[in-house]
Amino acid sequence: MNDTFSIAIDGPAGAGKSTVAKALSRALDAMYLDTGAMYRAFGLAMLRMGVDIHDAAAVAAHAEKIDVSVDYVDGGQRIYIAGEDVTDAIRSPEVSEAASATSAVPEVRVHMVALQRRIAAGHDVVMDGRDIGTAVLPNATLKVFLTASAEERARRRCKELEEKGAPQPYEQVLSEIEARDYRDTHRAASPLRPAEDAVTVDTSDLDLEGAVQALMDLARQAGIRR
Ligand code: DC
């Protein structure tokens, strides 16, 4: 019987995907899968092993060997490398770089996509990433491309970093966001782009509640009920 639903949320870094996806999954009582965390865990494993993250052949050789898994503790997703909880360790700027570089390697993507489909199989799921609507869940019940201007995303990231006690200059944050956007949209393997049947939601002028409400409305229109 196939009566589960899936919601694919793609978009650039800092558009609010994970916050919105988490809130939506709670409201709809669905599983939430942050696929970026999986690429981050893989990137962290490469850094720890001393693999050159820009050497595609070296990275590809490890694609199937790194044991990345997820679990849910108190409703929150935890991510593991070979059973070690690395949920906090994957949020550093070095790991962002490593994830961005190593996620461009096709062998890594093939492995991660298969893993993501296995994790989600049989569940109502809200998944966020870059290629969910185009590659991971091509038959998703609802596909959303969540975006916001680079300037607004940089402002949000600066606020987050400040709240964490690790402020960084706006100009630097903006140029990092623009560099990641460029890499994510220009790589050969599954570049970031909206699926043809995705609905684009621009969150530049929306707060969290507004963005969640917009997606709840889209979910209802797609026939998804709690
Ligand atoms: O969403 P994030 O910033 O945690 O993602 C980390 C990196 O992983 C980002 O540079 C893009 C990549 N990524 C990807 O290629 N495909 C996904 N489905 C999710 C993330």
Side-chain angles (χ1 to χ4, degrees):
M1 199 171 75
N2 182 17
D3 57 1
T4 57
F5 67 81
S6 53
I7 301 180
I9 303 183
D10 292 302
K17 296 188 300 293
S18 63
T19 315
V20 170
K22 253 181 248 169
L24 197 64
S25 69
R26 261 197 304 274
L28 294 170
D29 198 19
M31 169 191 252
Y32 164 59
L33 186 61
D34 169 3
T35 62
M38 298 171 71
Y39 288 97
R40 285 172 177 272
F42 182 85
L44 173 62
M46 294 299 95
L47 291 178
R48 285 181 171 179
M49 292 168 75
V51 175
D52 177 359
I53 57 168
H54 299 292
D55 180 342
V59 170
H62 289 90
E64 298 203 358
K65 295 191 193 141
I66 306 299
D67 172 20
V68 172
S69 59
V70 303
D71 198 5
Y72 295 86
V73 177
D74 297 332
Q77 178 182 306
R78 308 298 297 181
I79 186 110
Y80 305 83
I81 306 173
E84 178 197 344
D85 189 332
V86 293
T87 309
D88 299 321
I90 60 169
R91 296 295 159 193
S92 72
E94 294 74 27
V95 175
S96 296
E97 282 297 312
S100 182
T102 60
S103 64
V105 176
E107 288 84 349
V108 175
R109 304 203 67 82
V110 168
H111 183 64
M112 288 297 172
V113 168
L115 197 55
Q116 288 154 13
R117 287 185 183 145
R118 266 205 307 279
I119 292 169
H123 297 278
D124 291 329
V125 67
V126 180
M127 224 189 261
D128 79 19
R130 303 293 190 286
D131 62 339
I132 310 306
T134 53
V136 182
L137 302 173
N139 299 317
T141 321
L142 170 66
K143 298 180 185 178
V144 176
F145 194 78
L146 204 68
T147 190
S149 69
E151 291 75 15
E152 176 58 23
R153 288 184 282 130
R155 272 192 290 276
R156 290 176 189 170
R157 192 53 47 100
C158 279
K159 195 163 159 244
E160 250 171 52
L161 289 166
E162 213 174 287
E163 283 165 5
K164 271 196 217 159
Q168 278 186 27
Y170 170 80
E171 291 303 332
Q172 185 187 325
V173 172
L174 178 61
S175 75
E176 278 168 14
I177 281 184
E178 286 172 342
R180 277 180 74 195
D181 282 359
Y182 185 87
R183 269 201 306 275
D184 291 347
T185 53
H186 286 78
R187 68 182 179 215
S190 298
L192 171 65
R193 62 175 172 79
E196 273 172 21
D197 48 352
V199 182
T200 294
V201 175
D202 189 324
T203 67
S204 300
D205 297 321
L206 291 176
D207 58 10
L208 172 64
E209 271 164 36
V212 173
Q213 192 53 55
L215 267 67
M216 285 295 285
D217 291 346
L218 290 171
R220 209 166 297 120
Q221 284 162 26
I224 296 169
R225 302 266 179 274
R226 207 185 325 187

